[in-house]
Amino acid sequence: APDTAVAPAPRPSPRPPLAARPKELSVTQVQTLIRDPYAIYARKILRLGPLDPLTPSADALLRGNAIHSILETFMKRQIAPDAPDARAILMQISAAHLVTACPWPTMQRMWLARIDRFADWFLQTESIRQGLASPVHFEEKASIGLDSIDFQLVCKADRIDAAADGSVRVYDYKTGEAPTEKVQLLFDKQLLLTAAMIERGAFDGLGKAAVAGATFIALGSSPKEVAAPLDKAPPDTVWANFHTLIREWGQVDRGYSARLAMAMMSRPSDYDHLSRYGEWDETTPVTPVVLT
């Protein structure tokens, strides 16, 4: 009988020409570039986006967007977090928003119960946050070019608070787990890069401002604040290191390796099927492929 065995696919590390490499990333995509460069190659160079599910579902992305919108609406109403009716108003806003944002009655109730569980903690800690600075900017967009490099870094900050002394504090809402200090120093540069952009005047409605703090507000099962380590990674250092990172990706022998440094091996990538993950694993050496 003929041999029908098929050799497993290699672990890909494509090297596209420099002219085809992305000239723009968001602060949230930088972590992907570090952890799973192949995903950046597939999305930004091949322009392949994940397909929408055949049947819409109440997934984590939809839940996160809904909770972001609820908190933004609450903050824009300028309700004192320690007001007697603050909790009731927050829950009213939540219930009204979920009716349109989540067309699944069962999930509406589950998400409303989730908000109910973190509402007291959020309002108590919000009093402290507003004692430091006043919320003034929401979903603020920014873009900035790098020095002597044809590259743009873009950002959309959930919330920026301004203090009387001219400094600001930036916050990002997380409906799941927030990255630890160690993860932020090595991989998740979102708030660290946002702080560097603020200090360089990237936000049109803000101007240059000193960043007094940058914090993730995690609204999961155990709500908590996780600060960005601005003391260990100050904005000037972060900005210089980011230039180094992007220059490295401007080298022709730098390949977009698949699943280079995933947080967990069990965590899927949107492009595992494209890279034929499973025919290889994280112990397989990468195979560079020069593209023209």
Side-chain angles (χ1 to χ4, degrees):
D3 184 3
T4 58
V6 176
R11 184 181 184 181
S13 183
R15 296 177 178 177
L18 297 183
R21 301 192 181 202
K23 299 295 188 289
E24 178 183 293
L25 288 176
S26 71
V27 292
T28 55
Q29 290 172 329
V30 172
Q31 177 178 206
T32 306
L33 181 66
I34 297 170
R35 286 197 179 277
D36 188 16
Y38 188 84
I40 295 295
Y41 164 75
R43 178 178 283 276
K44 304 288 284 189
I45 299 175
L46 299 184
R47 301 184 186 279
L48 298 175
L51 293 174
D52 292 330
L54 294 176
T55 303
S57 61
D59 59 12
L61 177 61
L62 182 65
R63 183 187 66 209
N65 289 339
I67 292 178
H68 274 69
S69 296
I70 288 165
L71 295 179
E72 182 180 344
T73 300
F74 178 80
M75 301 304 296
K76 286 182 174 179
R77 297 256 307 255
Q78 296 184 328
I79 299 155
D82 56 354
D85 58 348
R87 192 186 202 283
I89 294 172
L90 175 59
M91 297 309 299
Q92 289 167 5
I93 292 171
S94 301
H97 184 78
L98 290 176
V99 168
T100 55
C102 179
W104 296 273
T106 301
M107 297 309 296
Q108 288 176 21
R109 291 178 176 84
M110 291 180 64
W111 292 359
L112 196 61
R114 184 189 187 103
I115 296 168
D116 185 68
R117 286 194 296 271
F118 70 64
D120 288 335
W121 176 89
F122 177 78
L123 292 171
Q124 290 165 8
T125 55
E126 187 58 32
S127 292
I128 299 172
R129 286 187 288 272
Q130 293 194 22
L132 298 171
S134 301
V136 289
H137 299 283
F138 305 95
E139 300 291 329
E140 188 84 6
K141 294 182 180 180
S143 176
I144 189 171
L146 272 62
D147 304 327
S148 304
I149 304 175
D150 181 17
F151 191 90
Q152 291 281 320
L153 182 65
V154 299
C155 171
K156 184 168 73 172
D158 283 352
R159 169 181 163 188
I160 300 173
D161 293 9
D165 63 1
S167 66
V168 301
R169 294 176 179 270
V170 59
Y171 297 99
D172 187 82
Y173 300 118
K174 292 288 186 189
T175 50
E177 289 295 315
T180 64
E181 177 182 290
K182 183 177 180 180
V183 168
Q184 291 184 67
L185 289 171
L186 294 174
F187 301 105
D188 192 336
K189 309 288 186 176
Q190 178 185 349
L191 282 186
L192 293 171
L193 284 169
T194 301
M197 293 176 72
I198 291 172
E199 295 209 344
R200 280 154 184 77
F203 290 81
D204 289 338
L206 189 63
K208 291 184 179 181
V211 178
T215 306
F216 288 103
I217 302 174
L219 301 168
S221 55
S222 299
K224 61 182 177 180
E225 289 187 341
V226 179
L230 296 176
D231 53 340
K232 296 181 180 179
D236 287 350
T237 301
V238 170
W239 195 238
N241 290 342
F242 185 65
H243 277 70
T244 301
L245 176 70
I246 298 304
R247 286 193 188 97
E248 284 292 315
W249 281 103
Q251 304 299 315
V252 293
D253 59 351
R254 185 70 180 259
Y256 290 80
S257 303
R259 300 179 66 89
L260 184 62
M262 300 294 281
M264 294 184 292
M265 286 193 291
S266 60
R267 182 167 293 175
S269 165
D270 287 333
Y271 301 97
D272 281 340
H273 59 302
L274 188 66
S275 69
R276 295 174 67 172
Y277 178 59
E279 297 182 49
W280 54 269
D281 62 24
E282 279 78 1
T283 65
T284 308
V286 299
T287 299
V289 178
V290 177
L291 305 175
T292 58

